[in-house]
Structure formats: structure tokens, C-alpha cells
Amino acid sequence: MTSFSPALLPDTLTSALEKVLGPGGLLTQPEDTAAFLTDWRGMFHGKACAVARPANTEGCAETVRLCAEHGIPVVPQGGNTSMVGGATPDDSGRALVIVTSRMNRVREIDPVDNTMSIDAGVTLKAAQDAALDAGLMLPLSISSEGSAEIGGVLATNAGGNNTVRYGNARELVLGLEAVLPDGRVLNLMRKLRKDNTGYALRQLLIGSEGTLAIITGAILQLQPKPKSIETALCAVADARAALKLFAAFRNVEPSAIQAFEFMSGLSMTLVNTLIPDAPLPLANPSPAYVLVELASPRGGDTLRGLMEEVLGKAFEDGLVSDAVLAESEAQRAAFWKLREEHSEAQKRAGTSVKNDVSVPLSAIPEFIDRATSACKTLVPGIRVAPFGHIGDGNIHFNLVQPEGADGAAFLARDHEIMDTVTAIVRELGGSFSAEHGVGQLKSYMMPEWRGGAELDVMRRIKAAIDPAGMMNPGKMLPKAG
Amino acid sequence: MTSFSPALLPDTLTSALEKVLGPGGLLTQPEDTAAFLTDWRGMFHGKACAVARPANTEGCAETVRLCAEHGIPVVPQGGNTSMVGGATPDDSGRALVIVTSRMNRVREIDPVDNTMSIDAGVTLKAAQDAALDAGLMLPLSISSEGSAEIGGVLATNAGGNNTVRYGNARELVLGLEAVLPDGRVLNLMRKLRKDNTGYALRQLLIGSEGTLAIITGAILQLQPKPKSIETALCAVADARAALKLFAAFRNVEPSAIQAFEFMSGLSMTLVNTLIPDAPLPLANPSPAYVLVELASPRGGDTLRGLMEEVLGKAFEDGLVSDAVLAESEAQRAAFWKLREEHSEAQKRAGTSVKNDVSVPLSAIPEFIDRATSACKTLVPGIRVAPFGHIGDGNIHFNLVQPEGADGAAFLARDHEIMDTVTAIVRELGGSFSAEHGVGQLKSYMMPEWRGGAELDVMRRIKAAIDPAGMMNPGKMLPKAG
């Protein structure tokens, strides 16, 4: 169980940290620290010598410096929404968890540059809202945005629903501020679209999962707020048809495609039957569905015309058998609810094994076909329920336990099932983690997938920037040897 | 002068390299190597023990491995179009220059993924043409594209005319292949839009100017070919008005803006008077101009409507005093000629000092005002001729010698002039090199601009990946101490 190991925090350090962090900044009691020592899925449980909640960059830097001085490893944590145990300490109890939540200032929104300068502890939702208040849009949206904080979002290079249009988190970052393992502040807070002066340290830190530095601030690129949005739910035969529909939109106006999501028929049925108020708004169930959303900062009905033009042609070509366009914001929300509730519906259907994988777009149909059949052979009755960001080649290839079967027995085979799926991903040139990262859940996969020169260079970088291995130990890079 | 230092290339290595590189692959005679030992601007002259031209990745890797074994530094070179001496060896004569030009295969174009897999030695122009032949577009365009090769384009994170819409070179790269300093091949050739599995090595190598590895191949993201393009040349009062016009387009349809270029009145006059067949297509000269180009993969006249809508409003608001829309491809080419010939016109007007700087968008007007006045104070009669990618905050703040003055005397003050300009850039939070990189011309500026923790981390990364300092020595990072 989670617990606090006070013996490992020397008194002198405790008082120094209390001074730096101020009232409520240092948590040392089990009832206060417990929430930070377990991941939200309940898969990982760790221990820590204390939990620090600095209020600003200086406090964070001084905390890290003190830890470095005392040989105490640090585990950065934002909203604690990692899917891979990336923010949960190990069970040695040696580490100090540094939680960024109190660093939650929106520093500046610049309506000429269309940028937002922000503390790492602002939640993604709060950042989105601040942008909207200024008449702009932060085009990054993930399921956990109410809790996930900007620092974690960047440390994991989050993806989400709008990646197809605006790219991953890394594409939105102009400036970055981070605390290095020795407590120095790395100030890369430059509001520049072009700046070729040295190594792309900002890019290196984004996606490094807190193993090189703690991100404390960022300058994000904003977009004009859309004035028109069109959302359609389409019935398609399979992923092959979904992909052709994607190409049809892309070839006419790629920049209008704000989201392009795939949902398998089985997964949609789980949503319709297990989630209240989530009926299918089409006459008949389909083997698969696409949720497509177009957006433009331009008003008028250009976008509706585009949607109708492409869908009309898709009907004629037999790509789409039925479709419904959202006629109100409420209807749009209802369509999105159908998409967003997949994880919850699968949870209600029993235990499930999740695979957040990506393959080249062209390989998606083959991947789904082969992985479906391999899983059905492995576990008769298994419910194959893929969905996700098909426009990015990113499928959440989730597998729900057979109906009525023993959930724990199914979950006990999770590695066997994941290995079956990822073996196919690998043959197709894909990735074992498209957007969730590596954390502690998947670090064992790194040698096989990213081994040789690639892992060697990663290890060299880690050793160069964090020679004592004090930053988020045990995450991402597997132990050598 | 450039010369060949055969004594530094041991016989055993010569024969090993000849075997690896095949006929014509190893150049050792002064008349053969000369072209590779001077940069195209004639600013830098170096020496080398030989020039190697590998035909493929394996040949390149084996060449690097042999050099590492013999303690011979390597200098990667693509089309030799660096603006900062980034591909010219130093004058020790120790280094081997590795030229990528023979590695010039387009490996694959995938019309489902919209990707191009390509050797590093393909010129940017050839890559653009290959994409067009497949009905797609490689959205990267720079003045030197006829000579510049993909490897160099990526090693310097090139920008250019379409950055405002599609980002810098780094935003276009999905996969990368590179040879490490010890000759191992780093294979990151993954055709994935989402892949969060370890440090972003691809991003680290992009923009590293050949100091960490030699890029040998890449997978680039392509776009649908535009079906409609609208180009307008607009007369504006100053950069302030140009910026407001940019915001007007951006707030209506940012994704339609393929290029948004600023030209000062003086610089335009030099083009009109010194370049044949480059008349101003407007009734009267203006203090400044904007070349705006909109593009869409969609046909029809939507784009013309957008152009007219925004420009009409801009006339009413007094932002634009005159404008002409290209009515044919020939007219469009004529507009672009006016933009592309600025460097040549300035050259014909005498000697000039170039500053490739960037500032936040909001700071552009203040930057141009202050830098203009500071330069005029410093050198009475100096001709201030800025132009460039204003939509990216990137101004080529070029200064032409006073009319009739001594060119050499003017050029002798280049550092003084550059320092005057960059001091203002720095106060405004800008960068001393927006898109040209650092190379050997500007490495002396790194400690002042990127010093402290930032330069320290860069040095650690360099030492980790290239511990013996064999990759493009003397470039980007200044000598320590």
C-alpha cells in the first residue's frame, strides 16, 4: 500500500523545504500524500519521502536543488492522469514527488502573436477557457483535460482529438521553461516562430516524461476561434471505407478537418447500451462509424457546403451508408458524447486490455483485420472494440473480456494479448505507444522496439543531462543491463 | 586559399575509402575538391584531406566509421548553400568533407499516407517536383531550392516562404535516418504521425547543423496540391499596417495563407531599377509592400472571394492604399520575381550587411523603426532595405552601402552594424538567426544569447553523442573556455 517514509527525509531538508514551499507546500502525512502516490487507474502504487507543491518556478527550482544536494530523486507530477504510471514514484520511498498544481497562473495572452504564456500547473481545460475568453482557441483536447496540467501534457507530448489538424502538443509550443536536475532554470521562453540558434532543447524536453527536467512554464501557439463548425456521424462498412472518407475530405480541404474519429460497431453498441442518454442517432447499427468535425474561423455556410459536397460524393461512391449532421450545439455534444464515452462503456462491460498503437495510415485496415482475428483466436469470445484517431493512424485497439467470463482471469492474460497486438503493429512499422507514452508500464518494451543505436543515444542524453539519475527514475528508459 | 592536404590521409585509409565509395566517390585532387571547400558566398575558405561522395547510406556509414577509426573529423555537406559557413571545413586540412549529392533517390511516395521517403542528397526542387508528379505538394520553398539538398535543409531546419502555413522544416518530418559519429546508422524512418516512445531524437537532429550526425534519409509529410491560388501585391504604409493586414487574413482563414511577405519600399525600388523585367505593377511607389498568397486544394472561386473580402475591408480601414491581384500564372510569377530578386538587387546596389533575425510578431514595427534609426545614425546614407517573412516574425534586415561610398569600407563595419541591429532584437526577445542557423559565422554569438544553462545543456548533448568532437567541428557551438 501507499505510505510515507519520513525516516528518509532528513530534518534539515524538511525545514529547508518548508521554508521554500511555504504553508501547505510540503505534505508529509500519509492522509495528505496518498492521492499523489497512486495513479488514477489504480494500477501503480508507490512511496515517497514527501510531496512538494511549489507555488512558482523559483520554488520548484529551489526544491529540486535541495533534493539534488541531498541525493533525493524527484518525481514530477501534474494532474496525475498518466495512462502508463508515468507520474507515480517507485516503492523505494526515496523520492520526493513534486506536484505542479499550485503553479497555475496564466502569465499572458498576446492577441497579436496569438500566444499564451502559462505556468505548468494550469489544467488544459483552464488554459482552453483562458484562450476562449480572449477570443482565441488552444487547439489541444484530450479526455482528461479537466485534470491534466500543461506541464504533464507537454512532458508526454499529448495528442488527442485535434491532432489531425493542429498536430501533437509539440507542434503548439513556441517557448518552454524547465528546471534541470541540478535546480538550474532552463529559460527557453521565446515567443518566436523561427529561431535556429542551437539544438532544439524545447523539442527534446517535450515528450521526455519528466526524465530530463521538470517543465514549469510554456508559451503556446493559439488559433483564431472557429466561427463555423460542422459535425457529422457517419455509418461506414469498415476502417477501409473510413480511411477513404478521410482521404476524400483531406483532398478537398485538409485544414478544415478538426477531428476524424473512428468507432467500431461493437464499441458503439457498448456506449449505446451501457451509458445513459447515449442512443445511436442513426436508423440502424453499422459495423463501424466515423465522427468527422470540420471547423473554420470564417462564418457563413461554406463549411456546410463542404460537408455536404464530400458526404454526397461518399454516398454515391458507397463509402457511407448513412449519416447525420449536427443541427445544434446540443446535437454536436451528443455526437461527441458517443465518442468520449467509449472508455467508460468498456469499463462497464467488464475488464479490458488497452492498446494505444499507431501504424501508417495505409496499414490501418490490415492492422485491424489481422489484430482482430489474432485476438479472437487467442481468447474465444473476446470483444474487439477499437476506436480512435484514425486520421492520425492512431487506434485505441481495446479488447473487452468475453461476456460473462471471469474478468480477473482475462486481465491476467493482458501481456499475452498486448504482445499479440503489438507484434502485428511492429510488422506494419507502427508504434507501441502512439500518445500515452512509455512511463513504467511500457519501459520493458523499449529495448526490443527502440533498441540498438536509438536506445543508446537516448541513454547518453539521459546520462548527460541527469548524470545521477535523479529525475523520474525508472520511467521511460529501462534499467541498463 | 583552398587546398588539398594529402599528407593527412593515410594510404591505408585512402584505399579503404576508395573501395567503399567506388569510382568517382573519393576526390583528392585540388581541382576536384575546390568547389567543396568554399561556401557559395565566398566568405569562407577551408581545407580538407579529401572529399567523399557516398552513393548510399551504407557507404556514408562506412566512410564515417573509417574516419572515426582514424581520428579524422567529418564535415557534412549538401548543396553547399549555407549562409553561415555551416558546410565549409576549417583550415586545418584535417577533416574529410562528406558530400551527400550522390545519395539522390526518391525512395517512395505514398499517396495514402501523403508521405515521401527520400535520400538526403535529393535537391529540394527535385523533391518538390517528385511530389507534384504524384499529385501532391511538398510545402517547403526556399530561394536556394535548386541546389539545397534535403539533408542540409533538415540539418538547418530551413524555413522559407511557406512556413507561415506549414511550419519550419521540422514540422514536415515524420521519419529520419542518420549516421552517428561512430558510423552506426540511427534508423528513425517511421511513417507515424503519433509515436511517443522515447526522446525526440528526430527533433534533436533537425537543426543540429551536422554537429551530431549526418542525415542520410527522411520521411516527409506531403500535402494535397492546391487547386486554387490567389496572389496579391499590396501597397501599405509600413510594417504596422502589414501586420494588421496579416491579422485580418489570419482571423478569417489562417490555413489559407500560404505566404505573407513584407518588402520595404527602398528594397523594392532596387529590384525595379536594377533587375531587368521587374517593374512595379502598381501606379505609384509605396513606403512598403506585402505579397500575400492564398492557396487551397479546393477548386472554385472561394479563395478569390476571400481575397477580395479581406482586401476590400483593408481598403476601407485604410490599411492598404493599392493592390493588384494576379490574373494569370505569368502575373503570379512576376509578383514572386519582385520578392525573390531582393538579394540579387541588393548585391547589384553594392555591398550589404545581412541580418536574418526574428522577433515576436507584435514587436516587428518597433524593431524596424528602432533598427532603421540606429543604423542611419551609425552610417549616414546607409540604405535600410528590410524584407522577409513578416507572418513568421522573420525579417531579413539588410543594409546596403550608401550610394557611391566605398563598399569595402562599409563591409569592414559589418560586425558593428550587425551588433547594432541584434542588440535591438535582443531587447525585444528575438533571435539573431531565424532561419539561416549559426554555422561558423555566428557561433561567437552563442555564449551571450544562449549562454548559461542553455549552452551548457547543448554542450553536454554534443559531448554525449560526439564525445571525440568529430562531427562538423567548429560549427554552431563556440569553443569552450
Side-chain angles (χ1 to χ4, degrees):
Chain A
M1 286 314 298
T2 65
S3 77
F4 160 58
S5 319
L8 291 167
L9 192 66
D11 285 348
T12 51
L13 181 55
T14 304
S15 47
L17 284 173
E18 277 171 346
K19 203 170 149 193
V20 167
L21 296 163
L26 188 70
L27 310 179
T28 55
Q29 299 306 310
E31 62 271 26
D32 298 328
T33 60
F36 304 100
L37 304 180
T38 300
D39 73 316
W40 71 278
R41 292 172 73 187
M43 291 175 72
F44 297 95
H45 308 283
K47 296 179 187 172
C49 61
V51 172
R53 292 158 33 93
N56 51 42
T57 302
E58 297 65 39
C60 182
E62 184 59 13
T63 301
V64 173
R65 198 192 61 74
L66 286 166
C67 285
E69 204 175 275
H70 289 79
I72 290 181
V74 298
V75 175
Q77 189 176 103
N80 198 12
T81 62
S82 174
M83 300 289 281
V84 291
T88 308
D90 63 26
D91 58 9
S92 70
R94 287 182 59 229
L96 180 88
V97 177
I98 299 185
V99 175
T100 51
S101 308
R102 282 175 77 203
M103 302 165 55
N104 59 2
R105 266 183 324 135
V106 175
R107 301 182 192 176
E108 182 207 44
I109 294 182
D110 182 329
V112 177
D113 285 297
N114 275 12
T115 54
M116 163 184 275
S117 176
I118 195 168
D119 281 356
V122 178
T123 65
L124 179 51
K125 183 69 172 60
Q128 290 166 352
D129 289 346
L132 287 174
D133 287 347
L136 294 163
M137 174 178 68
L138 174 60
L140 186 69
S141 173
I142 57 179
S143 302
S144 57
E145 61 199 25
S147 307
E149 297 173 8
I150 293 297
V153 161
L154 300 185
T156 58
N157 185 31
N161 294 333
N162 303 136
T163 308
V164 66
R165 169 66 186 87
Y166 297 103
N168 294 290
R170 75 168 66 255
E171 266 88 49
L172 310 178
V173 181
L174 294 182
L176 204 68
E177 181 192 84
V179 174
L180 294 168
D182 58 9
R184 283 181 301 170
V185 175
L186 184 65
N187 182 349
L188 312 171
M189 292 290 270
R190 298 194 281 270
K191 210 191 281 185
L192 302 173
R193 280 158 188 76
K194 287 187 174 175
D195 175 28
N196 283 342
T197 54
Y199 300 139
L201 301 186
R202 172 179 98 223
Q203 295 292 346
L204 179 63
L205 294 188
I206 297 169
S208 67
E209 303 191 12
T211 63
L212 299 177
I214 303 182
I215 294 171
T216 54
I219 296 177
L220 303 175
Q221 177 89 65
L222 304 177
Q223 293 289 333
K225 193 154 64 174
K227 283 210 190 70
S228 51
I229 294 181
E230 294 290 339
T231 312
L233 182 72
C234 311
V236 296
D238 52 21
R240 215 163 256 107
L243 208 59
K244 283 185 183 163
L245 183 61
F246 176 66
F249 278 104
R250 190 186 59 187
N251 294 338
V252 175
E253 199 66 282
S255 59
I257 310 171
Q258 178 159 277
F260 198 92
E261 299 286 309
F262 175 81
M263 292 161 282
S264 60
L266 174 64
S267 195
M268 178 67 95
T269 302
L270 294 178
V271 172
N272 302 147
T273 52
L274 300 175
I275 303 290
D277 303 319
L280 184 69
L282 297 167
N284 297 298
S286 170
Y289 304 88
V290 161
L291 179 63
V292 56
E293 185 160 278
L294 308 181
S296 165
R298 215 175 168 191
D301 55 5
T302 315
L303 217 52
R304 172 59 66 117
L306 176 63
M307 182 70 95
E308 287 173 349
E309 173 192 331
V310 176
L311 285 185
K313 180 86 170 41
F315 273 110
E316 283 171 27
D317 295 348
L319 289 182
V320 169
S321 60
D322 195 4
V324 53
L325 273 64
E327 297 294 348
S328 67
E329 187 54 39
Q331 212 171 359
R332 178 185 170 225
F335 290 5
W336 272 106
K337 182 178 178 184
L338 293 174
R339 165 63 184 82
E340 292 298 347
E341 293 287 359
H342 278 252
S343 290
E344 181 60 29
Q346 292 177 3
K347 197 171 168 185
R348 294 186 186 189
T351 58
S352 62
V353 176
K354 294 175 192 289
N355 293 282
D356 167 45
V357 298
S358 62
V359 291
L361 285 189
S362 48
I364 292 171
E366 181 181 348
F367 163 65
I368 291 182
D369 289 352
R370 286 176 58 188
T372 298
S373 130
C375 288
K376 285 185 170 171
T377 304
L378 191 68
V379 183
I382 197 169
R383 286 176 287 177
V384 181
F387 65 98
H389 319 298
I390 194 170
D392 302 311
N394 176 197
I395 299 293
H396 299 301
F397 197 82
N398 290 3
L399 301 146
V400 182
Q401 63 167 84
E403 230 168 329
D406 176 45
F410 177 71
L411 215 53
R413 298 183 69 181
D414 64 344
H415 273 277
E416 194 187 348
I417 295 168
M418 290 198 308
D419 290 350
T420 300
V421 172
T422 53
I424 297 164
V425 169
R426 193 151 187 226
E427 279 179 37
L428 296 171
S431 172
F432 66 92
S433 190
E435 51 180 20
H436 294 168
V438 177
Q440 50 185 305
L441 179 63
K442 298 181 178 177
S443 62
Y444 79 95
M445 296 174 80
M446 290 291 282
E448 195 183 328
W449 287 70
R450 303 290 173 247
E454 188 170 359
L455 188 53
D456 175 58
V457 173
M458 289 187 199
R459 286 193 197 282
R460 286 172 185 236
I461 290 170
K462 170 75 173 172
I465 299 179
D466 181 21
M470 305 302 271
M471 275 282 167
N472 213 5
K475 310 295 161 50
M476 202 172 83
L477 298 176
K479 287 196 176 65
Chain B
M1 287 313 301
T2 65
S3 75
F4 160 57
S5 320
L8 292 167
L9 192 67
D11 285 350
T12 51
L13 180 55
T14 303
S15 49
L17 284 173
E18 277 172 346
K19 204 171 150 193
V20 168
L21 296 163
L26 188 70
L27 310 179
T28 54
Q29 299 306 309
E31 62 271 26
D32 297 329
T33 60
F36 304 100
L37 304 181
T38 301
D39 74 316
W40 71 277
R41 291 172 74 188
M43 291 175 71
F44 297 96
H45 308 283
K47 296 179 187 174
C49 62
V51 172
R53 294 159 29 94
N56 51 43
T57 302
E58 296 66 38
C60 182
E62 184 59 13
T63 300
V64 173
R65 197 191 63 72
L66 285 165
C67 285
E69 204 174 275
H70 288 79
I72 292 181
V74 298
V75 175
Q77 189 176 103
N80 197 12
T81 62
S82 174
M83 300 289 281
V84 291
T88 308
D90 63 25
D91 57 9
S92 71
R94 286 182 61 228
L96 181 88
V97 177
I98 298 186
V99 175
T100 52
S101 309
R102 282 175 76 202
M103 302 164 55
N104 60 2
R105 266 183 325 135
V106 174
R107 301 183 191 176
E108 181 206 44
I109 293 182
D110 182 328
V112 177
D113 286 296
N114 275 12
T115 54
M116 163 185 275
S117 176
I118 196 168
D119 281 356
V122 178
T123 65
L124 178 51
K125 183 69 171 62
Q128 290 167 352
D129 289 347
L132 287 175
D133 286 348
L136 294 163
M137 174 178 66
L138 174 60
L140 187 68
S141 174
I142 57 179
S143 302
S144 57
E145 61 199 26
S147 307
E149 296 172 8
I150 293 297
V153 161
L154 299 184
T156 58
N157 185 31
N161 294 334
N162 302 136
T163 308
V164 66
R165 170 65 186 88
Y166 297 102
N168 295 289
R170 75 167 66 255
E171 267 89 49
L172 309 178
V173 180
L174 293 182
L176 204 67
E177 179 191 86
V179 174
L180 293 167
D182 58 8
R184 284 181 300 170
V185 175
L186 184 65
N187 182 350
L188 312 171
M189 292 291 269
R190 299 194 280 271
K191 209 191 283 184
L192 302 173
R193 279 157 188 74
K194 286 186 174 175
D195 174 29
N196 282 342
T197 54
Y199 300 139
L201 302 186
R202 172 179 99 221
Q203 295 292 346
L204 180 62
L205 294 188
I206 296 169
S208 68
E209 303 190 13
T211 64
L212 298 177
I214 302 181
I215 293 171
T216 54
I219 297 177
L220 304 174
Q221 177 89 66
L222 304 178
Q223 294 288 333
K225 192 155 65 175
K227 282 210 190 69
S228 50
I229 295 181
E230 293 291 338
T231 311
L233 183 72
C234 311
V236 296
D238 52 22
R240 216 163 256 107
L243 208 59
K244 283 185 182 163
L245 183 61
F246 177 66
F249 278 104
R250 189 186 59 187
N251 294 338
V252 176
E253 199 66 283
S255 58
I257 310 172
Q258 178 160 276
F260 198 92
E261 299 285 310
F262 174 82
M263 292 161 282
S264 59
L266 174 66
S267 195
M268 178 68 94
T269 302
L270 294 178
V271 172
N272 301 149
T273 52
L274 300 175
I275 303 289
D277 303 320
L280 183 69
L282 298 168
N284 297 298
S286 170
Y289 304 88
V290 161
L291 180 64
V292 55
E293 185 160 278
L294 308 180
S296 164
R298 215 175 169 192
D301 53 6
T302 315
L303 217 52
R304 172 59 67 118
L306 176 63
M307 181 70 95
E308 288 173 349
E309 173 192 331
V310 176
L311 286 185
K313 180 86 173 39
F315 272 111
E316 284 171 27
D317 294 348
L319 289 182
V320 169
S321 60
D322 194 5
V324 53
L325 272 65
E327 297 293 349
S328 66
E329 187 54 39
Q331 212 171 359
R332 179 185 169 225
F335 290 5
W336 272 107
K337 182 180 178 183
L338 293 175
R339 165 63 184 82
E340 292 298 348
E341 293 287 358
H342 278 251
S343 290
E344 180 60 28
Q346 292 176 2
K347 198 170 166 185
R348 294 186 187 187
T351 57
S352 62
V353 176
K354 294 174 193 288
N355 293 282
D356 167 45
V357 298
S358 62
V359 291
L361 286 190
S362 49
I364 291 172
E366 182 182 346
F367 163 66
I368 291 182
D369 289 350
R370 286 175 58 187
T372 298
S373 129
C375 288
K376 284 185 170 170
T377 304
L378 190 69
V379 184
I382 196 170
R383 287 176 286 177
V384 181
F387 65 98
H389 319 298
I390 194 170
D392 301 311
N394 176 197
I395 300 292
H396 300 301
F397 197 82
N398 290 2
L399 301 145
V400 182
Q401 62 165 84
E403 230 168 330
D406 177 47
F410 178 72
L411 214 53
R413 300 183 67 181
D414 64 345
H415 273 276
E416 193 187 348
I417 295 168
M418 290 199 305
D419 289 350
T420 300
V421 172
T422 53
I424 298 164
V425 170
R426 194 156 183 221
E427 280 179 37
L428 296 171
S431 172
F432 66 93
S433 191
E435 51 180 21
H436 294 168
V438 177
Q440 51 185 304
L441 179 63
K442 299 183 177 176
S443 62
Y444 79 96
M445 297 174 81
M446 290 291 281
E448 195 183 328
W449 287 70
R450 303 289 172 251
E454 188 170 358
L455 188 54
D456 175 58
V457 173
M458 289 187 199
R459 287 194 198 282
R460 286 172 185 235
I461 290 170
K462 170 73 174 175
I465 298 179
D466 180 22
M470 305 303 270
M471 275 282 166
N472 213 5
K475 311 294 161 53
M476 200 171 84
L477 298 176
K479 286 196 177 65

